[in-house]
Amino acid sequence: MAWQNWSGSVTAEPQQIVSPSSESELSEIVRRAVKDEQTIRVVGTGHSFVPLCATDGLLLSLDNLQGVVALDESRGVGTIWAGSKLHQLGEPLLEAGLALENMGDIDRQSLAGAIGTGTHGTGPTLGNMSTQVVGLHIITATGDIIEISTTNDPERIHAARVSLGALGIVSRVTLRLLPAYRLHERTWVEPFDKCFARRDELIAATRHFEFFWSPRDDACACKALHPTEKESHELEGKREAVPGRLERYVQEARIDFSHRIFPSERNRLFNEMEFAIPEAAGPACMQDIRRLMLERFPDVTWPVEYRTLGGDETWLSPAYQRDAVTISIHQAADLPYNEFFAAAEEVFRAYEGRPHWGKLHAQSPAELAALYPRWEAFQKVCQALDPQGCFLNDYLREIFAVNP
Ligand SMILES: Cc1cc2nc3c(=O)[nH]c(=O)nc-3n(C[C@H](O)[C@H](O)[C@H](O)COP(=O)(O)OP(=O)(O)OC[C@H]3O[C@@H](n4cnc5c(N)ncnc54)[C@H](O)[C@@H]3O)c2cc1C
């Protein structure tokens, strides 16, 4: 049975792809697979660029476990089936007067997949999506369904939020939510030097600021989102004409509910590397990446994305105990990227960057252990819940330095 990820960079031949419709069915499938010594991996929508989901054993999809389980508007929490796609959540949450705290560039991912790799948006005080998790149901290697929450298991919640599917299958997620809110979006282009010189001011001015730097134009497409009480008919101003490659990043100013504003469309396939750099070193790192691209890789035309990310306490979060800047580089899916990405990784390495778990990197187990102070603690939770490593594929064994 053939499987491939979104960009086509990963292919696999699982023995079976199964989509259970209940937690009890999921438990039964896990029990059987463990007895048959099959490797079990779970896939969301395959938007990760690395072989996290690849297996020649059992590939589980939670496409039949989607939707809202329960929402509590007064407490601002909601329990959601882990296979739900982010784009399916906005409207039911809005009907209950609720919304996600933040979202990334797209809304095509599954909830568990996005959380499990530390997927994030932008905002200097806002953590990645997993920071909103207050509880999870996990089906472990014994087939048991355990609940790990901030109240019943305040230690292991730090392992379970970003777990790369290594602890077991997440079936439900309980999230902290905000009252529904509207965002005012403004997008514009300005020369890199101007944008970069006033980046602190731009970051401070709105709740979510980011820019895409285009190496061909040496200009930035800036995007600023800020909560507003206004409605769209109160907007003024016209879209400015945009020369060059940044055209598609700029549009009319908009106001709408947050889930309709956050996501963009990504219709062209690409591969990506992203590192979270300690906040204070982010600007110098960005300058080094810019220099690298202009001097050594002038043919790469894909923009570099620069975002901010609040620190958190999740053991495998790239923002673990430090506020960060995230810098992402891209290359078209049908063009070679190895040499460029390897050179960029040297720059990220020099700034003690931590890789995005869903994106390309070549960090060794020793490097990862040095970057993540709770690396061993995470491994211990893994080994306790899955002593035989049933949920580990070759890629995770390599990263965790686990012998086959
Ligand atoms: C076009 C594009 C745009 C992107 N934009 C952003 C962005 O703005 N910000 C950002 O941070 N990242 C971004 N990413 C990366 C993406 O959000 C992550 O790779 C995310 O993990 C993908 O979600 P998914 O549902 O496809 O998960 P998958 O890639 O299918 O799986 C990711 C991991 O989650 C695990 N997993 C999935 N479901 C479960 C489950 N039920 N239980 C346990 N483990 C599970 C998998 O085993 C795997 O380890 C982008 C990627 C693409 C392709």
Side-chain angles (χ1 to χ4, degrees):
M1 216 167 250
W3 175 85
Q4 73 167 49
N5 70 339
W6 177 82
S7 76
S9 61
V10 182
T11 55
E13 289 275 342
Q15 255 170 28
Q16 281 173 291
I17 302 179
V18 180
S19 308
S21 310
S22 66
E23 283 175 325
S24 54
E25 194 186 343
L26 199 43
S27 295
E28 198 40 50
I29 290 169
V30 168
R31 276 196 193 104
R32 226 180 302 130
V34 170
K35 194 159 152 264
D36 295 346
E37 296 184 359
Q38 264 187 320
T39 298
I40 307 164
R41 290 301 294 156
V42 55
V43 62
T45 61
H47 275 63
S48 296
F49 298 91
V50 287
L52 285 170
C53 305
T55 178
D56 55 8
L58 174 65
L59 188 60
L60 285 169
S61 151
L62 266 55
D63 279 356
N64 290 329
L65 284 172
Q66 304 200 44
V68 167
V69 180
L71 296 175
D72 184 338
E73 191 186 348
S74 59
R75 286 174 54 229
V77 293
T79 299
I80 295 160
W81 289 110
S84 306
K85 310 300 173 280
L86 299 181
H87 65 89
Q88 297 167 330
L89 297 181
E91 295 301 322
L93 291 187
L94 177 59
E95 275 172 34
L98 295 165
L100 295 175
E101 183 195 51
N102 199 2
M103 294 178 77
D105 288 340
I106 58 162
D107 60 3
R108 301 292 107 184
Q109 307 95 320
S110 69
L111 181 61
I115 285 168
T117 58
T119 291
H120 62 92
T122 188
T125 58
L126 303 171
N128 69 51
M129 290 185 68
S130 82
T131 59
Q132 299 307 296
V133 173
V134 293
L136 305 130
H137 277 200
I138 301 182
I139 286 107
T140 65
T142 54
D144 293 327
I145 304 172
I146 60 167
E147 189 186 356
I148 297 184
S149 75
T150 47
T151 46
N152 81 2
D153 207 339
E155 178 81 353
R156 285 196 303 183
I157 191 76
H158 299 309
R161 282 186 172 131
V162 174
S163 71
L164 314 176
L167 304 186
I169 316 295
V170 175
S171 55
R172 313 177 184 201
V173 183
T174 301
L175 293 172
R176 203 179 292 121
L177 299 159
L178 293 187
Y181 56 100
R182 286 190 178 80
L183 286 173
H184 178 185
E185 177 187 66
R186 286 181 308 112
T187 46
W188 72 96
V189 168
E190 61 186 41
F192 175 82
D193 286 340
K194 180 178 172 196
C195 169
F196 210 61
R198 63 189 195 115
R199 63 181 181 275
D200 290 343
E201 180 196 324
L202 289 167
I203 289 167
T206 55
R207 188 169 181 260
H208 315 267
F209 174 78
E210 68 179 310
F211 67 79
F212 288 86
W213 169 66
S214 161
R216 275 287 161 90
D217 307 285
D218 200 18
C220 297
C222 302
K223 180 162 157 180
L225 310 179
H226 200 62
T228 180
E229 299 292 322
K230 287 190 181 165
E231 301 207 19
S232 58
H233 64 265
E234 297 174 69
L235 273 173
E236 287 167 9
K238 280 270 158 259
R239 176 184 186 277
E240 291 167 28
V242 180
R245 287 162 194 271
L246 293 171
E247 168 82 31
R248 69 196 172 91
Y249 291 95
V250 178
Q251 54 190 344
E252 292 275 354
R254 297 188 291 161
I255 291 179
D256 209 334
F257 283 104
S258 55
H259 64 282
R260 299 180 191 152
I261 293 286
F262 280 124
S264 306
E265 289 201 352
R266 294 285 182 264
N267 298 323
R268 292 161 67 200
L269 297 181
F270 56 83
N271 284 307
E272 182 173 350
M273 166 179 281
E274 176 188 299
F275 277 73
I277 309 296
E279 187 198 19
C285 181
M286 176 66 212
Q287 287 284 23
D288 283 356
I289 290 289
R290 175 168 169 258
R291 210 168 300 119
L292 175 83
M293 291 180 71
L294 293 177
E295 288 172 9
R296 284 185 49 200
F297 299 96
D299 292 338
V300 177
T301 57
W302 281 68
V304 176
E305 188 175 13
Y306 189 95
R307 292 184 273 190
T308 54
L309 179 61
D312 63 51
E313 292 297 326
T314 301
W315 295 346
L316 291 200
S317 165
Y320 176 71
Q321 292 193 340
R322 67 188 200 196
D323 292 339
V325 155
T326 65
I327 301 176
S328 321
I329 59 169
H330 310 83
Q331 178 58 295
D334 56 355
L335 291 177
Y337 59 78
N338 283 342
E339 203 189 331
F340 168 41
F341 281 18
E345 187 158 4
E346 281 307 307
V347 175
F348 294 135
R349 203 173 252 129
Y351 287 95
E352 293 180 8
R354 294 180 180 145
H356 187 304
W357 291 112
K359 303 187 185 179
L360 291 154
H361 70 90
Q363 299 288 297
S364 69
E367 283 177 305
L368 291 167
L371 287 168
Y372 288 92
R374 301 309 305 273
W375 187 248
E376 271 183 29
F378 180 83
Q379 311 280 344
K380 280 191 184 141
V381 174
C382 255
Q383 283 149 14
L385 290 176
D386 180 18
Q388 289 163 357
C390 306
F391 293 112
L392 301 183
N393 62 5
D394 291 348
Y395 179 72
L396 288 177
R397 283 180 193 281
E398 197 181 316
I399 281 188
F400 295 152
V402 175
N403 294 323

